[in-house]
Amino acid sequence: MKGHLGADPAEFIARVRAALGRSRTEPAPPPPAVDETIARLARPSDDLVALFEKRATLVGMKVRRIKSADLTREVLAVLESVSARRVVVGVGSLPQALGLKESIRRKGIEVVDWQAAPGLDTQYDTDAGITDVHAALAETGTMICNSDAGHSRGLSLIPPVHIPLVRASDILPDMLDYWARIKGKRGRELPSSMAFITGPSKTADIEGVLITGVHGPGAVHVMLVEDA
């Protein structure tokens, strides 16, 4: 398919270069320096845990500051408060939550094995999704949930209630720090999806009226683990 737009990238770029009257690709100019005194509203020296709690609460999430020893008890309390009967769990990187699934089962709540079911359909029939996070941003109260073998992209986006487990060590000052963390990673080193969660799901598609919880979790109960 010679000549097709996507058949030969080098040939396509050569045609564009020729049309612009150039014989080679000009390197992009360096980006302008960022004045961090203006761009940065949160700094590593700030109390990032307190700032994250404040901003997450302002955007409508319910935040519990807890110790790691209390994690299971607090999660079970939330599940009971929302009358959860079926849940999905993805907490691969949080050692304090390793026994969480079994504790949930002992309460008579079904833990759905989402990894045994292809697609996302199974997750639409659950009451809550419990996940750890890959990072959190103090400036905006945002949590970042990436997809990987231990985390379906649906866990934090499909059930009507999301219970994210945020360690104090997960919290970065702002988005600039998160992009710096993944800078230089290529292709297969990156997750297939990254969800930036700042508050419960909202939409104003219909007549500009803001409605919470139409397309995803209408309630987000953050477990902020201070000593992890």
Side-chain angles (χ1 to χ4, degrees):
M1 297 184 63
K2 187 175 182 180
H4 185 273
L5 183 62
D8 186 339
E11 182 180 334
F12 173 74
I13 293 298
R15 291 205 303 273
V16 173
R17 188 184 297 123
L20 293 174
R22 297 174 180 172
S23 58
R24 64 185 180 89
T25 299
E26 299 292 337
V34 174
D35 184 348
E36 296 201 353
T37 62
I38 297 174
R40 293 274 191 166
L41 301 180
R43 295 174 174 80
S45 57
D46 293 339
D47 184 344
L48 298 181
V49 173
L51 183 57
F52 172 82
E53 179 186 23
K54 177 182 179 181
R55 296 297 164 79
T57 301
L58 285 174
V59 295
M61 296 189 279
K62 298 177 181 178
V63 182
R64 298 183 182 206
R65 288 179 70 157
I66 63 173
K67 301 298 183 184
S68 58
D70 300 325
L71 178 61
T72 298
R73 184 188 67 197
E74 295 292 337
V75 170
L76 292 176
V78 171
L79 293 178
E80 182 179 6
S81 72
V82 300
S83 301
R85 307 312 308 162
R86 303 181 83 235
V87 303
V88 282
V89 180
V91 291
S93 65
L94 195 61
Q96 293 84 354
L98 291 178
L100 185 59
K101 290 183 182 179
E102 189 54 38
S103 297
I104 292 172
R105 292 190 181 101
R106 283 200 295 268
K107 287 291 184 180
I109 300 172
E110 180 183 357
V111 178
V112 176
D113 185 3
W114 57 268
Q115 290 171 307
L120 302 174
D121 290 350
T122 302
Q123 299 177 41
Y124 282 94
D125 194 28
T126 60
D127 302 307
I130 304 167
T131 74
D132 53 356
V133 305
H134 292 80
L137 309 179
E139 180 188 357
T140 54
T142 299
M143 296 167 297
I144 301 170
C145 294
N146 297 338
S147 62
D148 56 32
H151 302 83
S152 164
R153 68 184 63 186
L155 300 181
S156 62
L157 301 176
I158 293 176
V161 174
H162 181 207
I163 305 175
L165 315 180
V166 180
R167 298 171 295 192
S169 57
D170 292 324
I171 301 174
L172 303 172
D174 59 23
M175 192 78 78
L176 294 175
D177 292 290
Y178 181 69
W179 293 132
R181 176 183 285 186
I182 64 174
K183 184 179 181 181
K185 292 187 176 181
R186 301 169 61 89
R188 295 177 181 178
E189 298 177 305
L190 295 170
S192 60
S193 76
M194 291 187 277
F196 291 74
I197 301 169
T198 309
S201 168
K202 305 180 187 70
T203 181
D205 289 349
I206 301 175
E207 298 184 352
V209 178
L210 184 64
I211 300 174
T212 299
V214 175
H215 301 304
V220 181
H221 297 263
V222 180
M223 297 293 158
L224 179 50
V225 186
E226 295 180 281
D227 57 343

